[in-house]
Amino acid sequence: MIYDLAIIGGGPAGYTAAELAGKNGLKTILFEKNNLGGICLNEGCIPTKTLLYSAKVYQTAKDATKYAISCENVTFDLPKIIARKTKIVRKLTAGIRAKMNEAGVETVMGEAGVQVQGTECKVQEIACNGQIYCASKLLLCTGSETIIPPIPGLKETDFWTSREALENKGVPESLLIIGGGVIGIEFASFFNTLGTQVIVVEMLDEILPGMDKELSALLRNELTKKGIEFHLSTKVVSVDNRQIEIEKAGEKNILEVSKILLSVGRKPVLTGFGLETLNPELFRNGLKVNEYMQTSHADVYACGDITGFSLLAHTAVREAEVAVGHILGKNEKMSYKAIPGVIYTNPEIASVGKTEEVLQTENVSYTVKQLPMAYSGRFVAENEQGNGVCKILEGEDGTILGVHILGNPASEIIVIAGIAIEKGLKAEELKAMIFPHPTVGEIIKEAL
Ligand code: NAI
C-alpha cells in the first residue's frame, strides 16, 4: 500500500498535520519513537505550565491576606505537584491518541528512518520496527533538542536540563541557571516561589533575548524583588561539580550552589532518521523550507522546530496546517508576521509583532503608546501589588507594528493584538472595537 502522507514525529507539528490530513481523506501514517505529543506535551509547554500554575496557587494562598482572605500555614508538596503534572500529561496524550483514531490516522510507535528513495517503494520510503512503508509525501517533524555547550567540567557534572528539572521531587536549596532565556526564566520563577535561592547567569546584557528589552528589564526587576539574583553580561567559564566559575568584563568569581540547570537554547534534530539519504538544503541550523513548508524536495515537507526558525509549538501547528493545506491543493502561505511569544512567569510577559529594537535596526519610524496596567480597572481589582505595562508600537500610517505586555494574564490578551497585526489593522480600527468591560484586555484599547 502507498500512503498519501507519512509523518515522522508526533509533536504539535506532526499530530496537527496527521489529524488534518486524516480528516481530509488522506491515507496518513504517523511515526513516533517516544510519546505522542512530543517535547511540548511531555517535557515542555504543558508540564512547565502545570508546575507554574501550582506555584501561582501557592503564591496566591500566601498573599491571600492582601485580598482579605486568611489562609494559614500554607505549604506545598512537590512530589504531588509532579504527580499532578504527570496525570495531566497522560490525560492530554490520551486525547491526542483518540484524535488520531478519530481521524483514521495509523500511528506507529517506533523509530522511523527515511530510506534511499525508490529501492522498494518508488516513492518516499520509510523503515520502522523492521517494516517498510511507502508514501507519496513525507512530512518531517522531528523537533529540537537541548544544546549542551562545551563548558569545561559540565559533562562531568550532574546538571539538570528542563527534562530533569520537571521530574525532580526535591526542592534544591540553591539553583544556578545557565541561560536567562525562556526556559531559564520560567524555571527561575518556579523554584523561586518554592523557596530555592535562584541565580541566573546570562551572557547577554538583558534576559529574554527577542522580547521587548524594556519589558524584560521590568520583569527582571520584579523577579529581583522576589529574591532572584541575576548576573548579566556574564559567562560561565567552567563548572566543577557545585562550583561555578563566572566571568564578567574580565573579572572572575566562583559561585557555589546545590544544583545547576542548563538552558542555553535548543537545536533542530537533523540526525538519526536518515535525513542524509534525502540530502536536503539547510538554512542556518535547520531544514530550509519554502512558504508552503516544502523542503528542497517538493514531496518532502518539514514543520516545527526542525526548521530552526521559531521553536514554538503554536508556530509548528500553523506550519502543519499550511503544509497539509498545500498537499490538499490549497495555496495558503505561511506567515510569520504575528507569532506571539509568551513567558509564563508570575507576572507573565507576552509579545507579538516587532520590538523597538527590531524596528530601529530596520530603520522603521514608529511611535510608542504605553500605559501602566493599572489603567485597567480589572487589573487593579485582581492585582494588589502587581506592576505591569502595555506598550504598543504604531507605524507612521497608524498600522500596529508590535504589542508588548507585562502583567497577568498577558498570555490570554496578546492574541487580540496578534489578530490586529496579522490583518494589518490600523490603531484606529482596533480602537473602534468593543472590548468587554471590565477586562484586562481593555488596556489595549486604553493604550491606543
Ligand atoms: P533561549 O534561546 O530562549 O535562551 C537561551 C539563553 O541562554 C539566551 O538568553 C542566551 O543568551 C543564553 N546563553 C547562551 N549560552 C550561554 C552561556 N554559555 N552562558 C550564559 N548564557 C548563555 O533558549 P531556552 O531558554 O533554552 O529555550 C529553548 C527554546 O524553547 C526557545 O527557543 C523557546 O522558544 C522554547 N520554549 C518556549 C517556551 C514558551 O514559549 N513559553 C517555554 C520554554 C521553551
Side-chain angles (χ1 to χ4, degrees):
M1 173 180 28
I2 297 181
Y3 292 88
D4 296 317
L5 177 63
I7 303 169
I8 302 183
Y15 70 70
T16 303
E19 186 186 10
L20 199 60
K23 281 192 168 163
N24 279 283
L26 297 182
K27 183 88 198 118
T28 305
I29 185 163
L30 172 68
F31 299 97
E32 169 55 55
K33 66 174 178 177
N34 291 323
N35 296 300
L36 282 180
I39 295 289
C40 176
L41 180 44
N42 294 284
E43 313 171 6
C45 331
I46 298 297
T48 49
K49 264 76 268 176
T50 314
L51 263 51
L52 283 162
Y53 191 71
S54 289
K56 201 170 175 180
V57 171
Y58 174 58
Q59 188 63 52
T60 307
K62 284 208 301 180
D63 291 343
T65 47
K66 291 179 193 154
Y67 303 88
I69 307 290
S70 4
C71 227
E72 274 152 33
N73 301 324
V74 181
T75 54
F76 64 86
D77 183 332
L78 188 53
K80 282 190 182 160
I81 292 177
I82 303 288
R84 176 175 172 268
K85 181 258 319 173
T86 307
K87 183 187 77 185
I88 286 169
V89 168
R90 279 209 195 109
K91 185 175 173 179
L92 296 177
T93 313
I96 291 177
R97 191 169 293 282
K99 276 183 175 185
M100 295 305 104
N101 290 340
E102 269 169 42
V105 173
E106 188 176 332
T107 306
V108 178
M109 299 309 290
E111 189 156 11
V114 184
Q115 308 262 81
V116 175
Q117 193 183 345
T119 317
E120 218 166 288
C121 298
K122 308 275 182 287
V123 282
Q124 305 303 323
E125 195 168 311
I126 302 108
C128 189
N129 301 336
Q131 255 186 280
I132 300 291
Y133 300 86
C134 309
S136 308
K137 309 270 185 204
L138 178 61
L139 173 57
L140 304 172
C141 308
T142 53
S144 63
E145 61 192 359
T146 303
I147 294 174
I148 312 287
I151 299 174
L154 188 63
K155 257 197 211 155
E156 296 73 30
T157 300
D158 182 23
F159 64 90
W160 283 345
T161 65
S162 55
R163 177 177 291 162
E164 292 78 30
L166 282 168
E167 291 306 326
N168 163 63
K169 294 191 178 71
V171 181
E173 200 175 304
S174 53
L175 175 69
L176 184 134
I177 300 178
I178 308 178
V182 191
I183 293 182
I185 298 305
E186 288 187 352
F187 275 109
S189 179
F190 176 70
F191 281 106
N192 166 260
T193 309
L194 299 194
T196 297
Q197 186 210 334
V198 177
I199 304 170
V200 176
V201 178
E202 167 57 52
M203 69 179 185
L204 300 178
D205 63 357
E206 192 47 87
I207 58 167
L208 301 173
M211 299 299 276
D212 178 274
K213 217 168 173 179
E214 187 187 354
L215 266 63
S216 297
L218 284 171
L219 175 65
R220 179 169 48 76
N221 287 339
E222 290 289 316
L223 298 177
T224 305
K225 279 190 231 158
K226 293 182 177 189
I228 300 178
E229 186 180 315
F230 289 93
H231 294 262
L232 302 181
S233 307
T234 304
K235 268 195 322 201
V236 171
V237 180
S238 65
V239 177
D240 184 1
N241 202 10
R242 292 169 177 193
Q243 291 198 331
I244 297 101
E245 189 182 20
I246 57 167
E247 184 182 339
K248 180 174 185 170
E251 199 180 307
K252 288 187 178 171
N253 261 307
I254 302 277
L255 300 171
E256 197 159 342
V257 290
S258 21
K259 202 76 220 177
I260 297 171
L261 167 67
L262 180 77
S263 51
V264 297
R266 298 181 61 85
K267 61 175 183 191
V269 172
L270 299 172
T271 54
F273 61 99
L275 187 66
E276 53 288 353
T277 63
L278 294 167
N279 195 23
E281 271 183 60
L282 302 181
F283 179 65
R284 294 197 187 133
N285 59 347
L287 261 195
K288 185 177 173 185
V289 286
N290 65 12
E291 55 223 329
Y292 304 113
M293 307 313 299
Q294 284 167 300
T295 66
S296 47
H297 296 271
D299 289 333
V300 182
Y301 293 71
C303 296
D305 289 9
I306 189 174
T307 66
F309 187 69
S310 163
L311 292 116
L312 289 169
H314 42 275
T315 311
V317 164
R318 180 61 195 146
E319 288 175 341
E321 288 167 357
V322 169
V324 174
H326 192 249
I327 294 168
L328 291 167
K330 272 200 223 167
N331 277 332
E332 270 181 353
K333 293 179 180 174
M334 182 61 201
S335 164
Y336 294 97
K337 206 166 128 191
I339 296 175
V342 179
I343 324 296
Y344 296 83
T345 36
N346 191 12
E348 294 173 352
I349 181 168
S351 168
V352 67
K354 297 198 171 168
T355 59
E356 287 196 70
E357 293 73 37
V358 168
L359 292 171
Q360 284 160 15
T361 317
E362 292 176 353
N363 267 326
V364 176
S365 308
Y366 63 93
T367 51
V368 180
K369 289 180 170 166
Q370 188 161 327
L371 271 190
M373 294 297 278
Y375 273 72
S376 150
R378 176 79 182 274
F379 184 83
V380 177
E382 294 183 355
N383 290 273
E384 262 306 309
Q385 259 192 334
N387 297 318
V389 169
C390 172
K391 182 196 260 194
I392 302 181
L393 308 176
E394 207 179 298
E396 272 181 337
D397 64 351
T399 308
I400 301 166
L401 302 175
V403 177
H404 310 278
I405 300 172
L406 170 68
N408 294 334
S411 57
E412 299 293 343
I413 302 168
I414 203 69
V415 67
I416 304 168
I419 293 167
I421 293 175
E422 182 62 40
K423 295 292 170 200
L425 289 193
K426 298 259 190 318
E428 283 306 313
E429 291 173 298
L430 183 57
K431 204 176 151 199
M433 297 290 165
I434 299 170
F435 285 63
H437 176 76
T439 53
V440 182
E442 279 176 294
I443 193 68
I444 293 178
K445 192 171 167 104
E446 284 289 330
L448 288 170

